[in-house]
């Protein structure tokens, strides 16, 4: 069964069409990727799914219900959590307090929220930094904090907006298993990602967004060989030149 | 709530509450009552501004509403002073909620919110100065009838204790907010509203709750002012002076801390009195001292006196360990 069904979403900002008639489906229990060149409209689509922006047209169904008109905090209550591409820590608070804000969504008592925060922090590898100020974390630490806060809300669907961007290869190697473990515990994941190695590694299904339109979908490997996708990233005629060069090398 | 959170409150209450037992000079007791009224108004501001990060420049709107509601209900409708006091608090909270609804609903933040609250206070001041029910520019007197059931006391010490009881009640309320879900969500709104929303915080509801609480507390200060001085006019009730006092005390003392507003109010007015005594004949010299203190605080103690004390304690603690 599909957990999230985005159908024919269009988002216009004045004359600019950021997302154009985009549809995608996220299956329960899957890790689904959303890739595309810079400026393709990926983050805008995330903003529409999480309720930060109202779509100009189209419908979003979550867990069988139409949620298109629900405000952000109600969607969070329903089970949609998101992280931000540009990390948004509560800079004046400690790591534990940051995560506790997420935990408070389903826990009224402070002690319960803090206990859950400690638990989640350990799961994402922040166990040692609980009492540090969020502002003192490294980039990798802040990415983990984004993940921890979202996870603490107890989501069914986690929207990850480039959690790997800005990390070095060893940090990426550390966090990929964390993401897989989150899925294995029953959280469905939709992720925007540029780090293709991770996309190949994690995602079962990938959608490619270019200039606001979904131009391809399928298994990661199959999508990477798609002519339209190669041209969207590298320019018109690139696919033909690449295959010609590959053919030349073989001949 | 743990004893650790309540201990400083108890100490502050005992220190201030003991003063009238040893000092009977009217000037000292006057100073205490006035400073506690300012502290109460500032505690109100601190809930919305200090914890919620919504900087109001018009808390006079709530102070004045509390004051006028208490005064009008007593002098024009003959309602019991204690009941009028309670209704004054409720009226202030209601006005706060309405102003909050109008401005937060339209997404006003930062300096825009500050300007709108300032505008509301000014509109109220002009209306109160012109309309008949408030006594216009002549102001409104509450009939002198010194009886406890009228919320009037012969002894100024009693007023000190009543004002102190209100301040302590709000200290406890603030300490509770700090440790509650509402408080965590309020601070989250201050730190980053978008992230708070994404984590399921109903930011509008949180801000409206905060402004209603904040306004109710500041309205209590206004109503207490009326009971003590038995007079109110538009420039006292809705004047810019109280908006400034209400935000200056928490900023100097430590915004977003339980004791900040009280520490700030005592420091500001203590310093004001000392300057006035030392420099006697120069009018407005206490205001110059206020200004100087504000500059010093902003430059050297951006988290206020409480923040400065915490930093010093951390440094001494760290030095001791090394």
């Amino acid at each position: 069964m599909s957990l999230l069904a985005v159908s024919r979403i269009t988002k216009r900002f004045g004359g600019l069409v950021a997302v154009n008639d985009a549809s995608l489906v996220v299956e329960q229990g899957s890790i689904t990727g959303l890739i595309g060149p810079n400026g393709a409209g990926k983050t805008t689509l995330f903003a529409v799914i999480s309720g930060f922006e109202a779509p100009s047209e189209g419908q979003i169904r979550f867990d069988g219900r139409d949620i298109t008109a629900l405000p952000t905090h109600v969607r969070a209550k329903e089970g949609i959590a998101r992280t931000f591409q540009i990390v948004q820590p509560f800079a004046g608070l400690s790591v534990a307090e940051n995560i506790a804000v997420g935990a408070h969504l389903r826990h009224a008592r402070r002690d319960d929220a803090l206990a859950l925060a400690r638990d989640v922090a350990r799961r994402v590898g922040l166990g040692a930094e609980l009492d540090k100020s969020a502002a003192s974390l490294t980039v990798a630490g802040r990415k983990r904090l984004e993940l921890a806060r979202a996870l603490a809300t107890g989501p069914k669907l986690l929207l990850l907006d480039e959690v790997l961007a800005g990390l070095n290869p060893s940090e990426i190697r550390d966090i990929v298993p964390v993401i897989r473990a989150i899925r294995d515990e029953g959280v469905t994941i939709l992720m925007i990602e540029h780090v293709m190695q991770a996309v190949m590694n994690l995602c079962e299904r990938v959608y490619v967004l270019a200039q606001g339109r979904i131009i391809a979908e399928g298994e990661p490997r199959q999508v990477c060989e798609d002519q339209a996708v190669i041209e969207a990233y590298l320019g018109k005629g690139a696919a033909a030149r690449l295959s010609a060069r590959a053919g030349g090398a073989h001949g | 709530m743990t004893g650790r959170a309540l201990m400083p409150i108890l100490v502050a209450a005992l220190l201030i509450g003991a003063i009238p037992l040893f000092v009977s000079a009217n000037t000292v007791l006057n100073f205490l009552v006035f400073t506690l009224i300012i502290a109460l108004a500032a505690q109100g501001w601190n809930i919305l501004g200090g914890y919620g990060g919504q900087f109001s420049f018009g808390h006079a709107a709530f102070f004045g509403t509390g004051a006028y509601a208490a005064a009008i209900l007593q002098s024009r409708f003959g309602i019991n002073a204690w009941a009028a006091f309670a209704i004054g608090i409720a009226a202030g909270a209601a006005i706060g909620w309405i102003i909050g609804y109008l401005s937060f609903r339209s997404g006003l933040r930062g300096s825009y919110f500050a300007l709108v609250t300032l505008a509301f206070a000014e509109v109220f001041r002009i209306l109160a100065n012109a309309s008949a029910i408030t006594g216009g520019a002549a102001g409104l007197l509450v009939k002198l009838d010194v009886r406890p059931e009228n919320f009037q006391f012969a002894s100024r010490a009693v007023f000190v204790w009543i004002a102190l009881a209100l301040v302590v009640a709000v200290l406890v309320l603030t300490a509770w907010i700090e440790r509650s879900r509402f408080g965590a969500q309020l601070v989250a709104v201050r730190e980053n509203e978008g992230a708070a929303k994404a984590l399921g915080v109903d930011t509008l509801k949180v801000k409206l709750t905060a402004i209603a609480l904040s306004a109710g507390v500041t309205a209590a200060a206004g109503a207490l002012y009326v009971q003590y001085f038995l007079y109110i006019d538009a420039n006292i009730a809705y004047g810019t002076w109280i908006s400034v006092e209400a935000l200056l005390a928490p900023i100097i003392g430590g915004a977003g801390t339980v004791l900040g507003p009280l520490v700030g109010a005592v420091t500001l007015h203590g310093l004001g009195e000392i300057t006035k005594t030392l420099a006697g004949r120069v009018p407005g010299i206490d205001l110059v001292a206020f200004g100087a203190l504000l500059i010093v605080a902003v430059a050297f103690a951006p988290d206020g006196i409480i923040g400065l004390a915490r930093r010093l304690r951390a440094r001494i603690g760290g030095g001791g360990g090394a």
Side-chain angles (χ1 to χ4, degrees):
Chain A
M1 194 198 101
S2 64
L3 182 63
L4 177 76
V6 172
S7 35
R8 313 206 63 174
I9 289 290
T10 296
K11 176 67 192 176
R12 292 185 205 92
F13 295 104
L16 176 82
V17 185
V19 178
N20 192 352
D21 201 22
S23 300
L24 62 82
V25 168
V26 178
E27 296 298 328
Q28 178 91 48
S30 71
I31 300 184
T32 304
L34 180 61
I35 65 172
N38 289 328
K42 303 183 295 295
T43 295
T44 303
L45 187 54
F46 257 34
V48 170
I49 296 172
S50 55
F52 277 83
E53 298 282 355
S56 313
E57 284 163 38
Q59 192 200 45
I60 301 161
R61 296 184 73 81
F62 177 69
D63 218 0
R65 280 185 57 202
D66 183 358
I67 59 160
T68 319
L70 296 181
T72 302
H73 68 270
V74 179
R75 294 191 200 195
K77 187 102 199 161
E78 294 284 319
I80 299 180
R82 73 168 290 185
T83 68
F84 291 91
Q85 179 184 4
I86 301 160
V87 292
Q88 312 272 353
F90 303 125
L93 306 185
S94 73
V95 168
E97 287 168 329
N98 261 271
I99 307 173
V101 174
H104 265 306
L105 179 60
R106 296 185 209 283
H107 299 273
R109 288 188 52 238
R110 176 182 160 94
D111 292 344
D112 297 345
L114 283 172
L116 177 60
R118 276 192 294 275
D119 183 47
V120 172
R122 268 194 293 274
R123 277 165 66 191
V124 304
L126 278 174
E129 340 259 346
L130 276 167
D131 298 324
K132 277 194 191 164
S133 152
S136 73
L137 291 178
T138 61
V139 174
R142 288 173 193 213
K143 296 277 184 180
R144 285 172 193 262
L145 181 59
E146 282 282 321
L147 193 58
R149 278 196 320 202
L151 210 51
T153 64
K156 292 177 192 153
L157 174 68
L158 194 52
L159 305 172
L160 302 179
D161 195 348
E162 295 202 34
V163 280
L164 304 179
L167 303 188
N168 65 40
S170 91
E171 287 165 339
I172 290 174
R173 262 200 312 280
D174 290 344
I175 209 163
V176 161
V178 172
I179 294 171
R180 192 174 288 122
I182 290 169
R183 191 273 306 270
D184 292 344
E185 282 159 31
V187 182
T188 306
I189 293 173
L190 173 62
M191 62 194 299
I192 294 178
E193 204 41 81
H194 276 308
V195 179
M196 286 311 289
Q197 172 210 351
V199 173
M200 293 291 183
N201 238 312
L202 284 169
C203 300
E204 284 114 33
R205 196 164 185 82
V206 171
Y207 287 85
V208 186
L209 198 64
Q211 292 178 340
R213 289 178 176 279
I214 300 281
I215 58 163
E217 61 170 288
E219 286 171 24
R221 209 149 296 281
Q222 167 196 341
V223 159
C224 284
E225 286 158 11
D226 190 294
Q227 297 240 338
V229 175
I230 294 170
E231 294 199 344
Y233 273 93
L234 300 177
K236 204 162 175 59
R241 281 200 297 280
L242 278 178
S243 62
R245 192 178 300 167
H250 284 302
Chain B
M1 217 178 299
T2 61
R4 237 186 104 213
L6 294 177
M7 205 57 193
I9 298 176
L10 193 67
V11 171
L14 288 177
L15 277 179
I16 298 173
I19 296 176
L21 299 177
F22 304 106
V23 186
S24 57
N26 273 346
T27 46
V28 173
L29 297 182
N30 263 334
F31 164 77
L32 269 185
V33 172
F34 188 69
T35 304
L36 286 170
I37 288 174
I38 298 297
L40 191 58
Q43 284 180 306
W45 186 93
N46 189 40
I47 294 174
L48 182 68
Y51 288 95
Q54 312 298 314
F55 278 36
S56 151
F57 214 90
H59 258 52
F62 315 134
F63 183 88
T65 301
Y68 269 120
I72 290 171
L73 287 172
Q74 283 178 78
S75 59
R76 301 228 188 267
F77 298 97
I79 287 174
N80 173 272
W82 294 93
F85 185 80
I87 297 171
I89 294 174
I95 290 289
W97 193 91
I98 291 167
I99 292 178
Y101 186 82
L102 293 175
S103 37
F104 295 142
R105 198 59 222 220
S106 2
L108 294 182
R109 290 186 215 179
S111 40
Y112 296 99
F113 175 70
L115 282 175
V116 163
T117 52
L118 176 66
F120 269 106
E122 276 299 285
V123 168
F124 288 159
R125 188 180 65 80
I126 291 161
L127 287 178
N129 209 30
S131 65
I133 193 162
T134 56
L140 204 58
L141 280 164
V142 176
K143 206 173 85 196
L144 182 70
D145 184 0
V146 183
R147 276 185 299 167
E149 59 265 39
N150 287 345
F151 206 144
Q152 295 184 23
F153 304 92
S155 148
R156 286 173 206 267
V158 176
F159 260 109
V160 172
W161 289 321
I162 288 176
L164 183 61
L166 285 166
V167 167
V168 167
V170 180
L171 286 176
V172 173
L173 171 74
T174 314
W176 173 82
I177 288 176
E178 247 187 15
R179 311 182 60 80
S180 69
R181 161 150 74 177
F182 165 66
Q185 295 184 331
L186 184 59
V187 169
V189 166
R190 174 188 76 199
E191 295 291 323
N192 191 322
E193 207 172 326
K197 267 187 202 166
L199 297 176
V201 177
D202 187 347
T203 53
L204 179 63
K205 191 175 139 201
V206 166
K207 286 194 280 186
L208 287 178
T209 310
I211 197 173
L213 277 174
S214 171
V217 171
T218 301
L224 192 64
Y225 183 97
V226 163
Q227 288 316 124
Y228 188 65
F229 292 99
L230 298 177
Y231 172 75
I232 196 75
D233 71 21
N235 288 324
I236 299 171
Y238 289 124
T240 318
W241 74 279
I242 185 66
S243 296
V244 173
E245 292 271 5
L247 69 89
L248 216 49
I251 289 173
I252 302 262
T257 64
V258 174
L259 285 169
L262 179 60
V263 170
V266 171
T267 309
L268 270 176
H269 285 272
L271 198 80
E273 284 305 310
I274 292 168
T275 358
K276 265 196 274 189
T277 322
L278 291 183
R281 293 175 309 277
V282 187
I285 189 75
D286 53 329
L287 297 178
V288 175
F290 276 27
L293 188 60
L294 182 64
I295 292 169
V296 172
V298 169
F300 299 107
D303 306 322
I305 296 169
I306 300 278
L308 188 67
R310 277 184 193 159
R311 260 188 294 159
L312 287 178
R313 200 166 60 185
R315 188 177 298 174
I316 292 165

